[in-house]
Amino acid sequence: MDDARVLPTTLLDLLSNAIVLRQTAPYIPVSSITALSATCRSFRDIVNSQSDVWRYLDLTKIAQIDTSPIDVGGVTWRAERMDESLTEDDFYAGPLRGIFSNLHQRRILKYVQTLILDGLSVPADLVREIVAEDRYSVRTLSIREAKHLNQSKLQQVLRYAIRPTRAEGTPKLKALYFFGPKDAARYMIGQQQRLEGSQALGYARV
């Protein structure tokens, strides 16, 4: 056995370690995580079953849509509508709702605790869903420079979420980033994510 060689540590070995995975996952783009899960069953099992992979979800690079006006003379808007009951908010929330629906079907959405939607189309009704619906577990939400977000409606959503008669333990949301440039929000939330990881390891900020 003295001649036995010690095999080098593989990427699978590293990501199978919960501590390494928790600290590494926030820096891996969603597209790379998806590509990694497609390489083999072992990686797919990690991606689909480990909550730490999805605790921090940044959709700013993969949920872009054309944000030009959709009602220039009414022509473009009517051409885009698939259903007469579809509202403008529904139209703009469509791409993100599609992503969230897919994650929910894969039983992944419940793992997301930090969600970054900076610069994307995020109507107030979509914020309401994230804050109020049981399928979401988002604790930190960043919507800096979000498009098609009616601030008055957002205020109504937040007031309702913290109403005195709300259910115990709600809302799950503890932090909302709205003001300032979107790049600053990503940095600040990244700092918070690293702090959460340190606390999980038994460290605390002094």
Side-chain angles (χ1 to χ4, degrees), residues 113-192:
Q113 295 191 21
T114 300
L115 180 61
I116 302 182
L117 305 178
D118 298 337
L120 301 178
S121 293
V122 188
D125 194 51
L126 183 58
V127 176
R128 179 195 59 77
E129 294 173 7
I130 295 172
V131 172
E133 293 187 359
D134 291 338
R135 60 178 178 151
Y136 293 93
S137 299
V138 176
R139 297 174 60 85
T140 302
L141 174 64
S142 180
I143 50 175
R144 297 196 184 203
E145 298 185 24
K147 300 178 177 64
H148 310 111
L149 176 58
N150 185 299
Q151 295 187 25
S152 296
K153 290 183 179 180
L154 176 62
Q155 291 175 1
Q156 293 174 9
V157 168
L158 297 178
R159 288 195 189 101
Y160 184 79
I162 60 173
R163 68 194 186 282
T165 58
R166 67 186 184 276
E168 185 178 356
T170 63
K172 298 175 184 176
L173 186 70
K174 303 303 179 184
L176 176 67
Y177 290 86
F178 177 78
F179 297 102
K182 56 186 178 181
D183 291 339
R186 187 175 299 110
Y187 171 78
M188 293 176 65
I189 294 181
Q191 291 289 87
Q192 179 173 340

Side-chain angles (χ1 to χ4, degrees), residues 93-114:
L96 284 175
R97 278 187 176 139
I99 292 173
F100 295 148
S101 177
N102 179 272
L103 293 177
H104 179 62
Q105 291 175 3
R106 295 167 57 188
R107 300 182 180 179
I108 289 174
L109 186 62
K110 60 184 178 182
Y111 297 142
V112 179
Q113 295 191 21
T114 300

Side-chain angles (χ1 to χ4, degrees), residues 2-206:
D2 293 338
D3 296 331
R5 292 185 177 181
V6 178
L7 296 177
T9 301
T10 66
L11 178 60
L12 182 60
D13 294 330
L14 290 174
L15 296 183
S16 296
N17 184 299
I19 297 176
V20 174
L21 182 62
R22 173 183 286 264
Q23 297 298 314
T24 303
Y27 300 96
I28 305 176
V30 176
S31 57
S32 297
I33 291 176
T34 303
L36 184 65
S37 69
T39 58
C40 70
R41 181 175 180 178
S42 296
F43 281 123
R44 184 165 59 252
D45 289 343
I46 291 177
V47 169
N48 292 334
S49 64
Q50 297 300 314
S51 61
D52 286 333
V53 175
W54 300 100
R55 284 173 60 89
Y56 179 96
L57 183 60
D58 183 351
L59 295 179
T60 57
K61 302 297 184 183
I62 65 172
Q64 299 287 350
I65 65 169
D66 181 9
T67 56
S68 57
I70 60 173
D71 196 16
V72 181
V75 177
T76 305
W77 172 232
R78 285 192 293 271
E80 293 289 348
R81 294 177 70 176
M82 301 298 293
D83 187 330
E84 285 301 318
S85 64
L86 185 70
T87 66
E88 188 171 343
D89 277 1
D90 289 335
F91 176 87
Y92 284 125
L96 284 175
R97 278 187 176 139
I99 292 173
F100 295 148
S101 177
N102 179 272
L103 293 177
H104 179 62
Q105 291 175 3
R106 295 167 57 188
R107 300 182 180 179
I108 289 174
L109 186 62
K110 60 184 178 182
Y111 297 142
V112 179
Q113 295 191 21
T114 300
L115 180 61
I116 302 182
L117 305 178
D118 298 337
L120 301 178
S121 293
V122 188
D125 194 51
L126 183 58
V127 176
R128 179 195 59 77
E129 294 173 7
I130 295 172
V131 172
E133 293 187 359
D134 291 338
R135 60 178 178 151
Y136 293 93
S137 299
V138 176
R139 297 174 60 85
T140 302
L141 174 64
S142 180
I143 50 175
R144 297 196 184 203
E145 298 185 24
K147 300 178 177 64
H148 310 111
L149 176 58
N150 185 299
Q151 295 187 25
S152 296
K153 290 183 179 180
L154 176 62
Q155 291 175 1
Q156 293 174 9
V157 168
L158 297 178
R159 288 195 189 101
Y160 184 79
I162 60 173
R163 68 194 186 282
T165 58
R166 67 186 184 276
E168 185 178 356
T170 63
K172 298 175 184 176
L173 186 70
K174 303 303 179 184
L176 176 67
Y177 290 86
F178 177 78
F179 297 102
K182 56 186 178 181
D183 291 339
R186 187 175 299 110
Y187 171 78
M188 293 176 65
I189 294 181
Q191 291 289 87
Q192 179 173 340
Q193 180 70 14
R194 288 192 290 274
L195 175 60
E196 290 178 357
S198 298
Q199 291 173 337
L201 296 176
Y203 299 100
R205 175 177 289 178
V206 179

